[in-house]
């Protein structure tokens, strides 16, 4: 097992654009390995919700930095997420919250304020971390780095099905537009933009099943386990 400068535990990073399947794949891989799981996008989503609770403007970098440094979040053992003591599971995953998260995530001081909190998740026996900059910035020495891609159309369709199943009223064309504009904001920001680390393994999931992708990722993890 390689040593890791950011932690004493092995880390597998799974980055990619929204709808690339990162969340589902990462959770399944973490379960198979018996490791913990970091959903870094949830932190940016929680910060965006907290900003709304406190009526902060989304371009007020100084106040958002302070809020990020003191974000009152609890990930319960039952899988619930509490923000300032209240369950926010439903609103956390909406497209609107994702859009707001992408806006606050573009602020360099906010990203820095959340860095230590993310690194603290790397505990034995290991961590699977999902996001946009896990392999490039948060865990640059991770043992295995995966970058998932899929066409914007395939990602919009996946999101459409997921949201429909949850009972949300959604429109495919709007979802595609949202995905494309979120991709652009995540790719073009100056601080830790969405991109594959030089040493990441890229997997195009457009035509692959979830099981196929999990199998491929686990194959790359064999060397670490
Ligand atoms: O993965 P997600 O859809 O929950 O992420 C929501 C937004 O948060 C995403 O559009 C960009 C931002 N994000 C980020 O900038 N860096 C991360 N590591 C994770 C998410």
């Amino acid at each position: 097992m390689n040593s890791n400068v950011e932690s004493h535990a092995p880390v597998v990073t799974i980055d990619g654009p929204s709808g690339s399947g990162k969340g589902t794949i990462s959770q399944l891989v973490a379960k198979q390995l018996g490791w913990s799981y970091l959903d870094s996008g949830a932190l940016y989503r929680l910060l965006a919700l907290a900003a709304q609770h406190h009526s902060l403007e989304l371009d007020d970098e100084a106040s958002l930095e302070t809020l990020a440094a003191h974000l009152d979040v609890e990930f319960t053992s039952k899988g619930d997420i509490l923000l300032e003591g209240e369950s926010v599971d439903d609103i956390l995953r909406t497209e609107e919250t994702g859009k707001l998260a992408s806006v606050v995530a573009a602020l360099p001081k906010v990203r820095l304020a959340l860095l230590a909190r993310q690194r603290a998740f790397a505990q034995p026996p290991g961590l699977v971390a999902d996001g946009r900059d896990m392999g490039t910035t948060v865990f640059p020495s991770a043992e295995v780095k995966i970058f998932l891609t899929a066409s914007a159309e395939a990602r919009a369709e996946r999101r459409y099905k997921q949201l429909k199943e949850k009972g949300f009223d959604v429109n495919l064309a709007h979802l595609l537009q949202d995905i494309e504009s979120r991709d652009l904001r995540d790719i073009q920001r100056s601080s830790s933009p969405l991109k594959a680390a030089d040493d990441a393994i890229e997997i195009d999931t457009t035509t692959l099943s979830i099981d196929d992708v999990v199998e491929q990722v686990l194959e790359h993890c064999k060397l670490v386990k």
Side-chain angles (χ1 to χ4, degrees):
M1 192 180 296
N2 295 337
S3 66
N4 188 305
V5 289
E6 302 87 25
S7 70
H8 301 292
V11 176
V12 173
T13 60
I14 304 189
D15 288 303
S18 54
S20 57
K22 290 175 289 111
T24 308
I25 305 295
S26 302
Q27 286 178 63
L28 290 168
V29 168
K31 200 167 169 201
Q32 286 284 332
L33 295 173
W35 290 4
S36 45
Y37 163 60
L38 166 63
D39 172 4
S40 62
L43 290 175
Y44 292 97
R45 287 172 182 261
L46 287 159
L47 179 64
L49 290 178
Q52 284 193 318
H53 288 179
H54 295 281
S55 307
L56 297 183
E57 296 293 335
L58 295 187
D59 59 356
D60 179 354
E61 187 164 6
S63 302
L64 288 167
E65 178 190 16
T66 308
L67 189 62
H70 299 98
L71 198 60
D72 174 7
V73 176
E74 194 189 334
F75 296 89
T76 72
S77 52
K78 282 189 198 155
D80 291 332
I81 301 181
L82 305 182
L83 174 63
E84 296 170 2
E86 278 180 32
S87 173
V88 286
D89 282 344
D90 291 343
I91 191 162
L92 194 66
R93 304 291 167 196
T94 64
E95 290 306 296
E96 181 57 23
T97 306
K99 215 187 292 177
L100 300 176
S102 162
V103 174
V104 296
L107 302 170
K109 287 181 180 163
V110 161
R111 303 197 71 83
L112 203 58
L114 291 177
L115 199 55
R117 194 185 283 254
Q118 295 173 81
R119 288 186 175 156
F121 278 82
Q123 298 291 336
L127 176 72
V128 178
D130 126 29
R132 305 290 187 289
D133 62 340
M134 297 296 101
T136 52
T137 305
V138 182
F139 300 108
S141 312
E143 278 73 6
V144 178
K145 298 180 186 179
I146 305 288
F147 193 82
L148 298 182
T149 60
S151 70
E153 289 74 13
R155 290 184 284 127
E157 268 170 38
R158 286 176 192 165
R159 225 352 106 78
Y160 180 81
K161 275 193 202 146
Q162 268 176 0
L163 293 170
K164 271 277 179 201
E165 277 164 18
K166 287 184 186 163
F168 288 105
D169 182 21
V170 279
N171 172 298
L172 185 59
H174 289 165
L175 278 178
L176 180 59
Q177 251 176 20
D178 280 355
I179 279 196
E180 286 175 337
S181 59
R182 190 127 71 94
D183 280 357
L184 212 62
R185 191 162 41 231
D186 293 346
I187 290 166
Q188 289 183 339
R189 69 174 177 235
S190 59
S191 180
S192 300
L194 165 66
K195 73 170 179 144
D198 292 340
D199 50 351
I201 298 147
E202 293 204 27
I203 303 176
D204 184 342
T205 70
T206 307
T207 59
L208 297 177
S209 70
I210 290 171
D211 287 349
D212 289 340
V213 183
V214 170
E215 199 180 313
Q216 284 195 29
V217 175
L218 286 172
E219 197 58 38
H220 292 294
C221 295
K222 269 191 183 156
L223 295 171
V224 183
K225 253 301 229 187

